[in-house]
């Protein structure tokens, strides 16, 4: 595939700023091309009308709540773990719609998270995990819609927003 599309679920602005600030603080600057994000699909073909149609249909819903449930140390980085049965259901439905184009990574059960540090040593990630865990309090964040991005072999370029219907 010459042009790769990434799909994220967007979060309310106050938390977008909060997690992006943490990312700027803890992610190595030379490798931090992006603001904080919640990736749903990593590798879909751009320009596929069925993908756009499925995202438009999926966005015809109210915003959902995600629980920021914990902090995960994953070897060379740290992320906030998210929980939501609604998000799991939405993702499973999109997996069915996108099935012809899914790579192995995107066929797996979604483990939603917001990465704030990556590409560091295990020791450095463990230190950050300990620091962030000390004051961690679970919170709930609201989603605002789905978004597509064009992968540019490092940075991403925003493509299209599919806003959820606000009550």
């Amino acid at each position: 595939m010459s042009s790769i599309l990434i799909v994220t679920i967007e979060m309310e602005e106050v938390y977008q700023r909060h997690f992006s600030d943490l990312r700027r603080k803890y992610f190595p600057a030379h490798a931090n091309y992006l603001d904080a994000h919640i990736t749903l699909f990593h590798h879909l073909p751009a320009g596929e009308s069925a993908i756009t149609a499925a995202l438009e249909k999926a966005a015809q819903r109210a915003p959902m709540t995600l629980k920021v449930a914990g902090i995960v140390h994953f070897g060379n980085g740290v992320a906030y773990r998210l929980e939501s049965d609604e998000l799991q259901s939405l993702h499973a439905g999109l997996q069915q719609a996108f099935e012809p184009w899914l790579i192995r990574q995107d066929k797996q059960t979604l483990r939603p998270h917001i990465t704030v540090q990556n590409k560091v040593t295990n020791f450095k990630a463990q230190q950050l995990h300990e620091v962030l865990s000390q004051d961690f309090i679970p919170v709930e964040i609201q989603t605002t819609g789905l978004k597509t991005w064009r992968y540019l072999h490092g940075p991403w370029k925003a493509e299209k927003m599919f806003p959820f219907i606000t009550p």
Side-chain angles (χ1 to χ4, degrees):
M1 280 181 225
S2 61
S3 191
I4 298 169
L5 201 64
I6 298 164
V7 178
T8 61
I9 189 161
E10 298 296 291
M11 65 188 107
E12 59 190 315
E13 184 61 31
V14 65
Y15 286 105
Q16 178 66 51
R17 276 193 313 273
H18 170 73
F19 289 113
S20 291
D21 287 347
L22 289 173
R23 191 174 165 97
R24 277 188 288 282
K25 184 173 181 179
Y26 296 117
F27 209 102
H30 72 278
N32 188 18
Y33 305 114
L34 310 167
D35 282 338
H37 55 278
I38 306 165
T39 304
L40 299 182
F41 294 94
H42 300 83
H43 196 283
L44 294 169
E48 193 61 57
S49 61
I51 291 171
T52 301
L55 292 170
E56 286 172 348
K57 183 178 178 185
Q60 298 304 304
R61 56 160 296 125
M64 65 185 83
T65 301
L66 307 180
K67 180 179 181 183
V68 181
I71 302 172
V72 180
H73 170 235
F74 59 87
N76 62 346
V78 175
Y80 284 83
R81 180 175 49 86
L82 306 173
E83 293 177 355
S84 168
D85 291 341
E86 280 186 284
L87 180 57
Q88 293 295 344
S89 179
L90 175 77
H91 184 259
L94 287 171
Q95 280 179 313
Q96 289 178 349
F98 300 159
E99 201 284 322
W101 305 286
L102 294 181
I103 61 169
R104 182 173 38 207
Q105 180 182 20
D106 289 336
K107 289 180 181 182
Q108 298 174 4
T109 301
L110 181 66
R111 293 191 342 224
H113 62 278
I114 302 168
T115 303
V116 293
Q117 183 185 61
N118 201 0
K119 304 178 188 328
V120 299
T121 64
N122 185 32
F123 177 76
K124 191 169 184 174
Q126 182 61 43
Q127 286 182 312
L128 179 60
H129 180 263
E130 290 171 11
V131 166
L132 294 177
S133 295
Q134 288 174 358
D135 298 326
F136 177 74
I137 298 170
V139 296
E140 292 185 341
I141 62 176
Q142 295 297 309
T143 60
T144 59
L146 302 167
K147 192 169 186 177
T148 56
W149 302 82
R150 192 72 58 116
Y151 178 66
L152 303 175
H153 302 284
W156 300 359
K157 180 183 178 213
E159 287 283 308
K160 185 168 183 183
M161 180 70 181
F162 301 86
F164 293 141
I165 299 169
T166 52

